């Protein structure tokens, strides 16, 4: 059998803080053993598992890997608004007048991710 991706690991300055953001973004929760100040935080969601690890280095260049989020119960624009309310920042807006496109956001530590149209929006257009 081939290897499986156990989780996606993200280096960060505050594992618990960034894990908390992503738990809220993914409607998931932090592992019960994770607490503020811990060097690692684990977020398990239906889509997969993210492991946040505190490292001394700051992010200095564009991500080589990023997450693409697809809202399940709201529109892309509603999801962008919700995520900005949680602490994400707008990086680039690639939405087109015909409703296609995506939005690039950054989490509270500057890691970029994209928000695509929901499946319902794709089916309708």
């Amino acid at each position: 059998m081939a290897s499986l991706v156990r989780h996606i690991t993200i280096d960060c300055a505050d594992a618990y803080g960034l894990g908390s953001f992503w738990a809220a973004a993914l409607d998931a929760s932090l592992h019960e053993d994770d607490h503020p100040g811990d060097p690692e935080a684990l977020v398990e969601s239906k889509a997969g598992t993210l492991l946040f690890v505190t490292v001394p280095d700051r992010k200095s260049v564009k991500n080589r890997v990023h997450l693409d989020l697809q809202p399940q119960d709201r529109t892309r624009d509603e999801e962008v608004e919700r995520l900005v309310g949680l602490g994400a920042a707008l990086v680039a807006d690639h939405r087109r007048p015909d409703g296609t496109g995506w939005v690039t956001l950054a989490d509270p530590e500057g890691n970029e991710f994209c928000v695509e149209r929901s499946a319902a929006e794709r089916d309708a257009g």
Side-chain angles (χ1 to χ4, degrees), residues 15-17 19-20 30-31 34 38-43 50-53:
Y16 186 85
S20 296
L30 288 172
H31 191 276
D34 294 328
D38 285 352
E40 297 180 355
L42 192 68
V43 175
L50 300 176
L51 174 63
F52 298 89
V53 178

Side-chain angles (χ1 to χ4, degrees), residues 62 76-77 80 84 88-96 100-107 111-116:
K62 185 182 181 314
R76 173 197 56 212
D77 297 346
V80 167
V84 168
L90 178 67
V91 173
D93 192 335
H94 302 282
R95 291 177 278 197
R96 298 183 192 102
T100 61
W102 68 95
V103 177
T104 304
L105 300 175
D107 70 20
N111 300 300
E112 296 172 15
F113 63 99
C114 295
V115 181
E116 301 177 347

Side-chain angles (χ1 to χ4, degrees), residues 27-85:
D27 194 25
S29 58
L30 288 172
H31 191 276
E32 63 187 30
D33 292 337
D34 294 328
H35 303 286
D38 285 352
E40 297 180 355
L42 192 68
V43 175
E44 296 177 302
S45 74
K46 292 182 233 175
T49 303
L50 300 176
L51 174 63
F52 298 89
V53 178
T54 301
V55 298
D57 309 312
R58 290 290 215 187
K59 180 181 180 291
S60 61
V61 296
K62 185 182 181 314
N63 300 18
R64 296 292 303 265
V65 174
H66 70 268
L67 303 177
D68 289 335
L69 304 184
Q70 183 183 50
Q72 299 300 299
D73 60 354
R74 59 184 62 93
T75 67
R76 173 197 56 212
D77 297 346
E78 290 168 337
E79 183 68 346
V80 167
E81 184 176 325
R82 185 181 79 86
L83 293 167
V84 168

